[in-house]
């Protein structure tokens, strides 16, 4: 009956609403009340015409330009686990660390000007005196700073050298030993400069720090985090080169060894002693990657045979170096993959479905949106950030970011840094290119064959694509890092276009460590340390002159949405330990093989916040790994379901260039778009990284442990069935009493729910 009402009736409703506003003309906020009257009038017209009232959130979706709201992703029929996911390693690449490397943690700025006794002794020694006579920077503390001459001018004088690379050639063993000795002499001068600089920082008193400008104090503490060039650490590595040369001579292979500030060495072996990563293979990944189980060293290896198979030679060198007893660890350079949950090979095209612009058919008058609601049009479809619940506007699996933003008055802080170690970032993405949140990053992919951008490491973290095998059905560039970073806050939030991020105001440092066919463990280790500001990256120019590149925005949080089927590699644990000791929080995806996290890395490593994936119901997703290592369950999505009934797949919606898209309002096809639904523990981890960034913004002075404790305390208690699955799908899991077909899977202490974080009595942070 209502649909037969005439336009005259509609005009009458408008007049009544505006008339009501006129009666309030003497009150405050007249403009606001008139706007409210217009909304009531609009709602009245819609009701009269029998139309569902459009929630303001969806109104933004309808008003946006198609380019700002087009997306990819449809509900799929089923989910399939990739059974081919077996560990691989980079042929010719080995990671090792000598025994008894002394700890080389970051410098602590003392509360007074007292010098450390061992440093005093050094500068009183003949070596120290010789250094001073050579004209190096003075050991004495600088005078209290004048306004025109801040202390940091001397403190920031950084060494211009980089850590050496040593060529080991079995055909010229004597020359190789001379090169080792020369590297030792060169590094001595490098270490002296580094010692002096760090001594100056140790001598800074609180008065010195107070005399500096705030940005100078930040600069001093940033440099204090950097790992030193310690003589003992370097000497252990130089001594290990002799052992490696003997081993390589046994098999007739040479190589190049890169030394580091923290003792972790990367050895590249090749038949002629050259760096094999400089060569381009013609046969695809088989030229530079090998299955771990297919390249084992025989019991009685024949050197001539070994030389013909560099993959087996790699395994033999690893075995022999381990047997030497000179190393804390020696391991192949394993290949990590992103943690998108793979879609089935035969994914149905389907239709996008109708976007429901009402609230389950309700015709109630919508409330005026709070100022903290983002105006990004696709926010309407980001169920994963919504408040948890079954009421209107909520989702059972929502993570409560909406309530946190409103109740805390915090959407982030530009003083908080999250590093995303991943495939890089699509720097020309329209929701990212203009984002103030993106800081300079780095491309840590060392092998040009995996880099897919024509070179090795450089200062450009742009993601050129990571397609590995174009013949594989469904193969495509993943642009994984862009999707992950968008969830954290790389996208410009509240800009009227695209999606919202979990932390609107946050610094994102993209560190590219995964390229074509995955990412090397050695690159990931370096990426983690660089992201934390502990070590520099090293880049060479066309004249092979190497220089240091430091991360000028050291991370508070590092997101690792990556995985390796296998226990935590020793070198990865070493890298994680080094950054967590510096106060960094490392967040890891649990993995998508629906197995125990102890069999996956970095999810099974110590000192990480491991995140399993949940769906829109708040239940563990069918692909997610599980186990006691999991701390939290967070939205990872499930593209096979539509439990929130919006006609869209329950994936996580974020930034990512895609093809074969559609307009979510009209359903019309769109050739290209910049937003997509994805699923995986890769999507769950960045929700937690964003949450930790918000908690750090809420309490900037809190320690790593305190921030994690706040997160734990706010988790939503879960029921056992939320972490249950069919026993047939999860061998070894414990059956649930009374449900013989269902098995329990440990999936964390609770679900992420930012709405549970208590409001600080003293107010919030943010910008």
């Amino acid at each position: 009956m209502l649909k037969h009402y005439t336009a005259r009736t509609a005009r009458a409703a408008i007049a009544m609403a505006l008339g009501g506003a006129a009666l309030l003309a003497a009150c405050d906020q007249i403009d606001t009340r008139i706007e409210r009257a217009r909304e009531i009038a609009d709602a009245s017209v819609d009701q009269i015409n029998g139309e569902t009232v459009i929630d303001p959130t969806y109104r933004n979706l309808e008003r946006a330009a198609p380019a700002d709201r087009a997306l990819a992703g449809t509900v799929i029929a089923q989910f399939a686990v990739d059974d081919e996911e077996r560990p691989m390693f980079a042929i010719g690449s080995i990671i090792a660390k000598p025994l008894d490397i002394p700890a080389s943690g970051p410098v602590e700025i003392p509360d007074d000007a007292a010098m450390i006794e061992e440093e005093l002794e050094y500068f009183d020694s003949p070596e120290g005196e010789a250094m001073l006579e050579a004209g190096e920077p003075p050991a004495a503390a600088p005078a209290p700073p004048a306004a025109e001459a801040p202390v940091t001018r001397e403190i920031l004088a950084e060494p211009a050298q980089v850590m050496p690379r040593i060529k080991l050639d079995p055909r010229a063993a004597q020359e190789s030993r001379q090169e080792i000795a020369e590297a030792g002499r060169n590094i001595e001068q490098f270490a002296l400069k580094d010692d002096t600089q760090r001594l100056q920082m140790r001598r800074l008193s609180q008065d010195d720090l107070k005399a500096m400008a705030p940005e100078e104090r930040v600069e001093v503490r940033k440099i204090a985090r950097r790992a030193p060039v310690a003589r003992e650490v370097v000497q252990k590595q130089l001594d290990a080169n002799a052992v490696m040369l003997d081993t390589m001579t046994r098999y007739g292979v040479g190589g190049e060894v890169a030394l580091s500030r923290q003792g972790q060495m990367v050895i590249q072996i090749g038949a002629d002693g050259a760096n094999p990563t400089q060569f381009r293979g013609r046969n695809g990944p088989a030229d530079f990657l090998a299955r771990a189980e297919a390249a084992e060293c025989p019991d009685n290896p024949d050197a001539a045979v070994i030389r013909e198979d560099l993959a087996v030679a790699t395994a033999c060198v690893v075995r022999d170096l381990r047997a030497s007893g000179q190393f804390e660890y020696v391991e192949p350079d394993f290949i990590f993959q992103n943690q998108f949950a793979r879609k089935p090979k035969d994914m149905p095209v389907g239709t996008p479905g109708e976007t429901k612009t009402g609230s389950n058919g309700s015709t109630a008058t919508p409330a005026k949106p709070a100022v903290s609601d983002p105006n990004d049009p696709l926010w309407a479809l980001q169920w994963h950030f919504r408040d948890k619940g079954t009421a209107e506007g909520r989702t059972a699996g929502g993570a409560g970011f909406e309530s946190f933003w409103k109740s805390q008055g915090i959407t982030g802080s530009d003083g908080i840094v999250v590093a995303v170690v991943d495939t890089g970032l699509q720097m020309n993405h329209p929701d990212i290119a203009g984002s103030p949140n993106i800081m300079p990053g780095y491309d840590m992919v060392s092998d040009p064959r995996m880099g897919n951008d024509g070179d090795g490491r450089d200062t450009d973290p742009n993601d050129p694509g990571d397609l590995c095998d174009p013949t594989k059905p469904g193969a495509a560039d993943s642009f994984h890092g862009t999707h992950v970073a968008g969830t954290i806050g790389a996208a410009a939030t509240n800009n009227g276009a695209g999606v919202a991020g979990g932390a609107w105001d946050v610094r994102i440092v993209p560190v590219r460590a995964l390229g074509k066919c995955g990412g090397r463990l050695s690159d990931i280790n370096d990426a983690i340390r660089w992201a934390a500001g502990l070590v520099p990256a090293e880049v060479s120019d066309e004249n092979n002159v190497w220089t240091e590149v430091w991360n000028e925005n050291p991370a508070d949080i590092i997101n690792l949405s990556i995985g390796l089927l296998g226990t935590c590699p020793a070198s990865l644990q070493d890298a994680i330990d080094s950054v967590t000791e510096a106060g960094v929080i490392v967040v890891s995806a649990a993995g998508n093989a629906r197995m125990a996290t102890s069999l996956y890395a970095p999810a099974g490593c110590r000192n990480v916040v491991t995140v399993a994936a949940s769906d829109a119901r708040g239940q563990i997703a069918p692909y997610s790994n599980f186990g006691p290592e999991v701390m939290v369950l967070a939205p990872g999505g499930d593209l096979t379901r539509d439990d929130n009934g919006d006609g869209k797949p329950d994936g996580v919606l974020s930034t990512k260039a895609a093809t074969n898209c559609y307009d979510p309002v009209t359903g019309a096809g769109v050739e290209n778009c910049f937003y997509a639904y994805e699923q995986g523990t890769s999507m769950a981890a960045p929700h937690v990284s964003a949450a930790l960034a918000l908690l750090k913004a809420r309490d900037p002075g809190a320690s790593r442990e305190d921030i994690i404790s706040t997160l734990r305390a706010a988790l939503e208690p879960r029921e056992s069935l939320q972490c249950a699955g069919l026993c047939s799908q999860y061998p070894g899991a414990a059956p649930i009493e009374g449900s013989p077909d269902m098995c329990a899977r440990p999936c964390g202490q609770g679900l992420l729910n930012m709405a549970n974080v208590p409001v600080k009595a003293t107010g919030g942070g943010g910008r």
Side-chain angles (χ1 to χ4, degrees):
M1 293 289 292
L2 290 177
K3 64 182 179 181
H4 298 299
Y5 274 61
T6 64
R8 178 182 299 177
T9 309
R11 286 195 295 271
I14 296 172
M16 290 175 63
L18 292 176
L23 294 176
L24 301 172
C27 302
D28 294 336
Q29 298 179 323
I30 294 176
D31 292 341
T32 300
R33 294 175 183 274
I34 292 175
E35 178 62 28
R36 176 67 176 142
R38 290 194 181 99
E39 290 181 2
I40 295 172
D42 289 343
S44 300
V45 173
D46 288 339
Q47 291 181 42
I48 290 169
N49 291 321
E51 297 177 5
T52 300
V53 173
I54 298 175
D55 184 280
T57 299
Y58 288 96
R59 191 180 299 279
N60 288 332
L61 179 64
E62 293 206 336
R63 289 175 175 173
D68 292 332
R69 69 191 185 198
L71 52 88
T74 59
V75 177
I76 61 178
Q78 61 181 347
F79 170 77
V81 173
D82 187 356
D83 293 326
E84 298 179 359
E85 189 177 0
R86 291 170 292 170
M88 303 181 75
F89 67 86
I91 296 174
S93 189
I94 300 167
I95 306 171
K97 183 178 181 180
L99 280 172
D100 302 325
I101 292 285
S104 55
V107 167
E108 295 293 334
I109 302 297
D111 292 333
D112 54 42
M115 287 169 56
I116 294 178
E117 176 131 3
E118 60 183 286
E119 292 178 325
L120 281 171
E121 292 177 356
Y122 169 74
F123 282 95
D124 286 338
S125 70
E127 293 84 0
E129 292 178 358
M131 183 272 290
L132 293 175
E133 291 175 1
E136 299 295 343
E148 297 77 19
V151 169
T152 49
R153 290 187 182 176
E154 290 189 43
I155 292 173
L156 301 183
E158 300 174 8
Q161 294 176 286
V162 298
M163 296 297 289
R165 288 167 170 78
I166 300 172
K167 185 175 180 179
L168 301 179
D169 188 346
R171 299 170 303 183
Q174 185 58 35
E175 289 81 352
S176 294
R177 290 187 173 87
Q178 291 174 355
E179 185 170 344
I180 295 171
E182 179 64 21
R185 289 189 290 271
N186 291 339
I187 206 68
E188 182 67 19
Q189 292 302 313
F190 190 15
L192 290 175
K193 289 184 179 182
D194 191 74
D195 279 345
T196 303
Q197 183 183 76
R198 298 174 73 77
L199 175 62
Q200 288 178 316
M201 286 190 289
R202 284 186 183 275
R203 295 196 61 191
L204 291 176
S205 67
Q206 289 299 308
D207 289 339
D208 292 327
L209 292 172
K210 289 178 182 177
M212 297 178 186
E215 61 271 16
E216 292 172 338
R217 291 197 292 270
V218 170
E219 197 74 7
V220 168
R221 296 198 176 274
K222 177 176 69 179
I223 293 176
R225 180 186 276 196
R226 297 176 177 177
V229 180
R231 296 169 191 76
E232 298 85 353
V233 173
V234 175
Q235 190 58 54
K236 290 285 185 180
Q237 296 175 76
L238 293 174
D239 293 344
N241 273 268
V243 179
M244 289 185 283
L245 179 60
D246 292 341
T247 302
M248 294 178 189
T249 301
R250 184 176 309 132
Y251 299 111
V253 296
E256 184 181 81
V257 183
L259 277 58
S260 76
R261 291 175 177 239
Q262 295 195 316
Q264 191 174 96
M265 300 182 292
V266 178
I267 311 157
Q268 303 284 358
I269 67 172
D272 60 354
N275 186 338
T277 64
Q278 300 304 314
F279 304 129
R280 294 183 178 274
R282 298 180 180 178
N283 301 318
D287 280 350
F288 53 89
L289 301 181
R291 294 285 181 192
E293 73 274 12
E296 297 182 354
C297 185
D299 291 336
N300 297 300
D302 183 292
V305 174
I306 296 300
R307 279 195 297 273
E308 298 302 317
D309 190 336
L310 192 54
V312 175
T314 305
C316 288
V317 172
V318 168
R319 186 192 67 177
D320 289 5
L321 290 180
R322 286 174 175 171
S324 72
Q326 300 297 309
F327 296 89
E328 179 180 330
Y329 54 75
V330 183
E331 56 196 8
D333 203 347
F334 291 112
I335 302 299
F336 284 66
Q337 303 294 332
N338 68 61
Q339 290 306 294
F340 273 158
R342 302 296 193 271
K343 298 176 183 178
K345 295 179 180 179
D346 299 319
M347 189 179 78
V349 176
T351 58
E354 177 186 358
T355 298
K356 296 184 179 179
T357 53
S359 299
N360 300 321
S362 170
T363 57
T365 302
K368 188 174 180 61
V371 294
S372 57
D373 282 340
N375 62 16
D376 307 84
L378 291 176
W379 161 250
L381 305 179
Q382 293 183 281
W383 60 267
H384 36 99
F385 287 136
R386 295 300 185 90
D387 288 345
K388 193 179 300 293
T390 57
E392 182 178 326
R394 300 191 174 196
T395 303
F401 281 76
E402 189 176 16
S403 273
F404 182 91
W405 298 332
K406 295 175 182 178
S407 64
Q408 306 275 348
I410 297 172
T411 57
S413 167
D414 62 4
I416 308 304
V417 180
V418 182
V420 181
V421 176
D422 216 292
T423 65
L425 200 60
Q426 290 177 290
M427 305 303 288
N428 62 351
H429 190 289
D431 215 2
I432 289 175
S435 174
N437 297 347
I438 308 302
M439 298 295 110
Y442 202 81
D443 179 1
M444 202 64 71
V445 180
S446 59
D447 190 333
R449 297 166 299 190
M450 300 183 74
N452 204 29
D453 57 356
D455 57 21
R457 294 183 175 182
D458 56 40
T459 56
D460 181 11
N462 184 66
D463 185 352
D466 57 357
L467 175 61
C468 181
D469 184 359
T471 66
K472 188 174 182 179
D477 292 317
S478 72
F479 300 117
H480 181 269
T482 302
H483 197 280
V484 169
T487 296
I488 298 171
T493 299
N494 211 35
N495 66 340
V499 296
W504 304 10
D505 307 312
V506 65
R507 291 185 175 185
I508 300 290
V509 175
V511 191
R512 184 171 181 249
L514 273 65
K516 181 179 178 181
C517 304
R520 290 184 176 213
L521 173 58
S522 58
D523 292 342
I524 292 167
N525 292 336
D526 288 349
I528 291 171
R529 287 186 165 96
W530 184 85
L534 269 62
V535 302
E538 299 174 352
V539 61
S540 64
D541 59 17
E542 63 276 5
N543 299 317
N544 202 34
V545 175
W546 292 81
T547 56
E548 294 180 344
V549 179
W550 290 90
N551 178 14
E552 296 300 331
N553 299 280
D556 299 290
I557 300 151
I558 298 176
N559 190 92
L560 299 177
S561 288
I562 59 177
L564 170 73
L565 178 56
T567 56
C568 185
S571 63
L572 178 61
Q573 186 66 67
D574 194 5
I576 290 171
D577 290 346
S578 68
V579 302
T580 54
E581 287 169 4
V584 179
I585 303 175
V586 178
V587 178
S588 170
N592 302 327
R594 60 187 185 198
M595 63 172 55
T597 49
S598 60
L599 303 176
Y600 233 73
C605 298
R606 301 184 305 276
N607 296 327
V608 300
V609 176
T610 299
V611 186
S614 58
D615 60 18
R617 300 170 297 171
Q619 298 184 20
I620 189 170
Y623 52 78
S624 180
N625 287 355
F626 57 92
E629 295 83 4
V630 174
M631 180 184 296
V632 56
L633 194 62
D638 186 344
L639 292 171
T640 69
R641 305 184 66 91
D642 179 20
D643 289 306
N644 63 357
D646 66 354
K648 302 292 181 291
D650 290 342
V652 171
L653 185 58
S654 185
T655 46
K656 174 187 171 181
T659 57
N660 298 321
C661 310
Y662 66 93
D663 185 326
V665 173
T666 66
V670 178
E671 184 176 358
N672 299 297
C673 62
F674 296 96
Y675 307 94
Y677 287 106
E678 292 290 352
Q679 64 182 5
T681 55
S682 273
M683 284 56 264
H687 282 85
V688 173
S689 291
L692 291 166
L694 292 175
L695 295 179
K696 184 71 172 175
R698 173 178 174 270
D699 194 357
S703 67
R704 170 185 178 273
E705 292 73 18
D706 289 342
I707 295 295
I708 293 175
S709 294
T710 302
L711 178 75
R712 286 181 188 270
L715 296 180
E716 187 81 8
R718 61 170 181 78
E719 299 176 1
S720 60
L721 285 177
Q722 288 178 286
C723 289
L726 291 173
C727 297
S728 59
Q729 293 181 338
Y730 301 95
I736 297 176
E737 186 176 354
S739 302
D741 295 332
M742 300 294 287
C743 281
R745 297 165 290 166
C747 68
Q749 301 164 23
L751 285 80
L752 179 64
N753 189 359
M754 293 297 288
N756 290 340
V757 178
V759 178
K760 290 191 68 176
T762 56
R767 275 202 293 203

